[in-house]
Amino acid sequence: MLNDWLTSERIQIRTDITDWRQAVEVSAEPLLKEGTITPDYLTAIFAQREKLGPYFVLAPGIAMPHARPEEGANGLGLSLLTLPQGVKFNSEDNDPVYTVVMLSAPDKHSHIELISELAELFSSDEDMQKIHQAKTISEIQEVISRY
């Protein structure tokens, strides 16, 4: 199922990003480009980050920025950005972040199965390590094809 959402157009490997804010913006680019989210979605993510801190850093090395459906989510969508050198998101227990998965959900229910598949992937240290170390998009797709 993740292969259906994380197509080659929605996966990026970037070594030039050194700032968490830029990482979030770049991870959103595929979804912005296809209209799945609006610029307001990013604004909402940054506003929540100011209020709550790095709420979207879920586990060591993994961030999943997201906002509420009414804050600019036009559809269900995922994108994935890997940061081979890691980027500090100011999450004391989970920095540096190597994988950023941008999630968009247009309502409170449609993303439940997608979240379940992501949780399974995120819980596999071996597969997440493979994603962190991937040199090509096809290597990442090979890992996610099992979910």
Side-chain angles (χ1 to χ4, degrees):
M1 177 176 162
L2 287 183
N3 256 359
D4 296 336
W5 295 101
L6 291 172
T7 61
S8 60
E9 298 82 22
R10 292 179 176 175
I11 299 172
Q12 302 175 75
I13 301 170
R14 297 280 298 267
T15 58
D16 60 328
I17 297 171
T18 58
D19 169 78
W20 72 266
R21 190 182 237 342
Q22 183 187 20
V24 171
E25 290 170 350
V26 169
S27 74
E29 286 174 0
L31 299 181
L32 283 166
K33 185 177 175 181
E34 64 190 35
T36 303
I37 60 173
T38 68
D40 291 343
Y41 198 75
L42 271 179
T43 301
I45 289 170
F46 292 134
Q48 277 297 95
R49 168 62 168 68
E50 289 299 314
K51 285 183 206 169
L52 303 174
Y55 71 96
F56 46 72
V57 182
L58 305 179
I62 303 170
M64 192 168 71
H66 59 282
R68 298 180 54 78
E70 65 273 11
E71 294 175 317
N74 292 330
L76 188 59
L78 276 183
S79 62
L80 185 143
L81 167 66
T82 62
L83 306 160
Q85 79 287 358
V87 171
K88 288 188 178 185
F89 274 60
N90 301 313
S91 175
E92 188 175 321
D93 296 332
N94 298 318
D95 274 342
V97 168
Y98 297 98
T99 303
V100 181
V101 176
M102 176 70 65
L103 171 69
S104 167
D107 57 50
K108 294 179 181 177
H109 308 290
S110 61
H111 64 292
I112 302 301
E113 189 176 343
L114 199 51
I115 292 286
S116 175
E117 297 291 328
L118 283 170
E120 192 177 328
L121 171 63
F122 293 164
S123 68
S124 170
D125 292 338
E126 181 181 338
D127 283 341
M128 288 309 299
Q129 191 65 28
K130 287 178 184 174
I131 288 174
H132 295 169
Q133 294 173 347
K135 303 280 189 250
T136 66
I137 290 171
S138 61
E139 288 177 67
I140 293 171
Q141 287 180 302
E142 185 179 319
V143 173
I144 63 172
S145 70
R146 296 191 292 271
Y147 295 90

